[in-house]
PDB file of all heavy atoms in Angstrom:
ATOM      1  N   LEU A 130     110.312  87.948  88.470  1.00 94.00           N
ATOM      2  CA  LEU A 130     111.692  88.447  88.495  1.00 94.00           C
ATOM      3  C   LEU A 130     112.042  88.783  89.931  1.00 94.00           C
ATOM      4  O   LEU A 130     111.702  89.872  90.439  1.00 94.00           O
ATOM      5  CB  LEU A 130     111.833  89.676  87.596  1.00 94.00           C
ATOM      6  CG  LEU A 130     113.197  90.328  87.612  1.00 94.00           C
ATOM      7  CD1 LEU A 130     114.324  89.389  87.267  1.00 94.00           C
ATOM      8  CD2 LEU A 130     113.218  91.555  86.717  1.00 94.00           C
ATOM      9  N   HIS A 131     112.687  87.857  90.632  1.00 90.00           N
ATOM     10  CA  HIS A 131     112.972  88.019  92.030  1.00 90.00           C
ATOM     11  C   HIS A 131     114.089  87.064  92.399  1.00 90.00           C
ATOM     12  O   HIS A 131     114.082  85.903  92.019  1.00 90.00           O
ATOM     13  CB  HIS A 131     111.720  87.737  92.888  1.00 90.00           C
ATOM     14  CG  HIS A 131     111.782  88.266  94.292  1.00 90.00           C
ATOM     15  ND1 HIS A 131     112.683  87.856  95.217  1.00 90.00           N
ATOM     16  CD2 HIS A 131     111.036  89.198  94.911  1.00 90.00           C
ATOM     17  CE1 HIS A 131     112.543  88.478  96.355  1.00 90.00           C
ATOM     18  NE2 HIS A 131     111.501  89.292  96.200  1.00 90.00           N
ATOM     19  N   ASN A 132     115.095  87.539  93.171  1.00 88.00           N
ATOM     20  CA  ASN A 132     116.266  86.733  93.470  1.00 88.00           C
ATOM     21  C   ASN A 132     115.995  85.660  94.526  1.00 88.00           C
ATOM     22  O   ASN A 132     116.843  84.796  94.725  1.00 88.00           O
ATOM     23  CB  ASN A 132     117.378  87.639  93.966  1.00 88.00           C
ATOM     24  CG  ASN A 132     118.057  88.384  92.803  1.00 88.00           C
ATOM     25  OD1 ASN A 132     118.032  87.934  91.685  1.00 88.00           O
ATOM     26  ND2 ASN A 132     118.615  89.528  93.109  1.00 88.00           N
ATOM     27  N   ALA A 133     114.911  85.744  95.243  1.00 86.00           N
ATOM     28  CA  ALA A 133     114.662  84.731  96.297  1.00 86.00           C
ATOM     29  C   ALA A 133     114.562  83.328  95.647  1.00 86.00           C
ATOM     30  O   ALA A 133     114.006  83.147  94.569  1.00 86.00           O
ATOM     31  CB  ALA A 133     113.358  85.020  97.025  1.00 86.00           C
ATOM     32  N   VAL A 134     115.165  82.356  96.333  1.00 88.00           N
ATOM     33  CA  VAL A 134     115.102  80.958  95.884  1.00 88.00           C
ATOM     34  C   VAL A 134     113.721  80.421  96.381  1.00 88.00           C
ATOM     35  O   VAL A 134     113.622  79.881  97.452  1.00 88.00           O
ATOM     36  CB  VAL A 134     116.246  80.128  96.468  1.00 88.00           C
ATOM     37  CG1 VAL A 134     116.221  78.738  95.908  1.00 88.00           C
ATOM     38  CG2 VAL A 134     117.567  80.792  96.127  1.00 88.00           C
ATOM     39  N   ASN A 135     112.697  80.650  95.564  1.00 86.00           N
ATOM     40  CA  ASN A 135     111.342  80.534  96.049  1.00 86.00           C
ATOM     41  C   ASN A 135     110.425  80.124  94.938  1.00 86.00           C
ATOM     42  O   ASN A 135     110.602  80.411  93.768  1.00 86.00           O
ATOM     43  CB  ASN A 135     110.937  81.914  96.610  1.00 86.00           C
ATOM     44  CG  ASN A 135     109.565  81.897  97.251  1.00 86.00           C
ATOM     45  OD1 ASN A 135     109.025  80.837  97.624  1.00 86.00           O
ATOM     46  ND2 ASN A 135     108.978  83.080  97.386  1.00 86.00           N
ATOM     47  N   ALA A 136     109.303  79.491  95.329  1.00 89.00           N
ATOM     48  CA  ALA A 136     108.163  79.252  94.481  1.00 89.00           C
ATOM     49  C   ALA A 136     106.997  79.128  95.419  1.00 89.00           C
ATOM     50  O   ALA A 136     107.136  78.646  96.552  1.00 89.00           O
ATOM     51  CB  ALA A 136     108.307  78.002  93.626  1.00 89.00           C
ATOM     52  N   PHE A 137     105.826  79.556  94.997  1.00 85.00           N
ATOM     53  CA  PHE A 137     104.660  79.401  95.894  1.00 85.00           C
ATOM     54  C   PHE A 137     103.394  79.183  94.985  1.00 85.00           C
ATOM     55  O   PHE A 137     103.406  79.593  93.817  1.00 85.00           O
ATOM     56  CB  PHE A 137     104.457  80.552  96.837  1.00 85.00           C
ATOM     57  CG  PHE A 137     104.436  81.928  96.180  1.00 85.00           C
ATOM     58  CD1 PHE A 137     103.291  82.444  95.669  1.00 85.00           C
ATOM     59  CD2 PHE A 137     105.601  82.689  96.087  1.00 85.00           C
ATOM     60  CE1 PHE A 137     103.232  83.673  95.092  1.00 85.00           C
ATOM     61  CE2 PHE A 137     105.595  83.958  95.509  1.00 85.00           C
ATOM     62  CZ  PHE A 137     104.360  84.468  95.008  1.00 85.00           C
ATOM     63  N   ALA A 138     102.374  78.621  95.612  1.00 87.00           N
ATOM     64  CA  ALA A 138     101.137  78.358  94.896  1.00 87.00           C
ATOM     65  C   ALA A 138     100.012  78.836  95.778  1.00 87.00           C
ATOM     66  O   ALA A 138     100.006  78.635  97.033  1.00 87.00           O
ATOM     67  CB  ALA A 138     100.994  76.903  94.600  1.00 87.00           C
ATOM     68  N   SER A 139      98.980  79.423  95.175  1.00 83.00           N
ATOM     69  CA  SER A 139      97.839  79.915  95.929  1.00 83.00           C
ATOM     70  C   SER A 139      96.649  78.971  95.774  1.00 83.00           C
ATOM     71  O   SER A 139      96.660  78.091  94.898  1.00 83.00           O
ATOM     72  CB  SER A 139      97.435  81.292  95.369  1.00 83.00           C
ATOM     73  OG  SER A 139      96.687  81.113  94.135  1.00 83.00           O
ATOM     74  N   PRO A 140      95.651  79.166  96.630  1.00 83.00           N
ATOM     75  CA  PRO A 140      94.399  78.461  96.362  1.00 83.00           C
ATOM     76  C   PRO A 140      93.926  78.787  94.936  1.00 83.00           C
ATOM     77  O   PRO A 140      94.150  79.893  94.432  1.00 83.00           O
ATOM     78  CB  PRO A 140      93.446  79.074  97.385  1.00 83.00           C
ATOM     79  CG  PRO A 140      94.327  79.516  98.501  1.00 83.00           C
ATOM     80  CD  PRO A 140      95.575  79.978  97.849  1.00 83.00           C
ATOM     81  N   GLY A 141      93.310  77.802  94.287  1.00 89.00           N
ATOM     82  CA  GLY A 141      92.877  78.043  92.917  1.00 89.00           C
ATOM     83  C   GLY A 141      93.893  77.710  91.912  1.00 89.00           C
ATOM     84  O   GLY A 141      93.676  77.814  90.671  1.00 89.00           O
ATOM     85  N   GLY A 142      95.119  77.300  92.329  1.00 92.00           N
ATOM     86  CA  GLY A 142      96.118  76.762  91.400  1.00 92.00           C
ATOM     87  C   GLY A 142      96.996  77.780  90.681  1.00 92.00           C
ATOM     88  O   GLY A 142      97.506  77.463  89.629  1.00 92.00           O
ATOM     89  N   TYR A 143      97.213  78.961  91.234  1.00 92.00           N
ATOM     90  CA  TYR A 143      98.063  79.949  90.621  1.00 92.00           C
ATOM     91  C   TYR A 143      99.493  79.762  91.199  1.00 92.00           C
ATOM     92  O   TYR A 143      99.720  79.890  92.406  1.00 92.00           O
ATOM     93  CB  TYR A 143      97.592  81.365  90.879  1.00 92.00           C
ATOM     94  CG  TYR A 143      96.256  81.615  90.187  1.00 92.00           C
ATOM     95  CD1 TYR A 143      95.036  81.410  90.844  1.00 92.00           C
ATOM     96  CD2 TYR A 143      96.233  82.063  88.887  1.00 92.00           C
ATOM     97  CE1 TYR A 143      93.866  81.640  90.210  1.00 92.00           C
ATOM     98  CE2 TYR A 143      95.034  82.275  88.224  1.00 92.00           C
ATOM     99  CZ  TYR A 143      93.850  82.069  88.888  1.00 92.00           C
ATOM    100  OH  TYR A 143      92.627  82.296  88.239  1.00 92.00           O
ATOM    101  N   ILE A 144     100.422  79.427  90.307  1.00 94.00           N
ATOM    102  CA  ILE A 144     101.814  79.065  90.694  1.00 94.00           C
ATOM    103  C   ILE A 144     102.750  80.152  90.202  1.00 94.00           C
ATOM    104  O   ILE A 144     102.687  80.554  89.043  1.00 94.00           O
ATOM    105  CB  ILE A 144     102.218  77.705  90.120  1.00 94.00           C
ATOM    106  CG1 ILE A 144     101.240  76.621  90.633  1.00 94.00           C
ATOM    107  CG2 ILE A 144     103.643  77.370  90.463  1.00 94.00           C
ATOM    108  CD1 ILE A 144     101.500  75.283  89.995  1.00 94.00           C
ATOM    109  N   PHE A 145     103.611  80.595  91.129  1.00 92.00           N
ATOM    110  CA  PHE A 145     104.636  81.596  90.802  1.00 92.00           C
ATOM    111  C   PHE A 145     106.023  81.027  91.156  1.00 92.00           C
ATOM    112  O   PHE A 145     106.252  80.579  92.257  1.00 92.00           O
ATOM    113  CB  PHE A 145     104.391  82.871  91.556  1.00 92.00           C
ATOM    114  CG  PHE A 145     103.155  83.610  91.084  1.00 92.00           C
ATOM    115  CD1 PHE A 145     101.923  83.288  91.598  1.00 92.00           C
ATOM    116  CD2 PHE A 145     103.258  84.621  90.099  1.00 92.00           C
ATOM    117  CE1 PHE A 145     100.772  83.983  91.181  1.00 92.00           C
ATOM    118  CE2 PHE A 145     102.115  85.280  89.680  1.00 92.00           C
ATOM    119  CZ  PHE A 145     100.864  84.985  90.204  1.00 92.00           C
TER     120      PHE A 145
END
Side-chain angles (χ1 to χ4, degrees):
L130 176 56
H131 198 296
N132 284 334
V134 185
N135 185 20
F137 54 85
S139 79
Y143 294 92
I144 300 173
F145 290 86

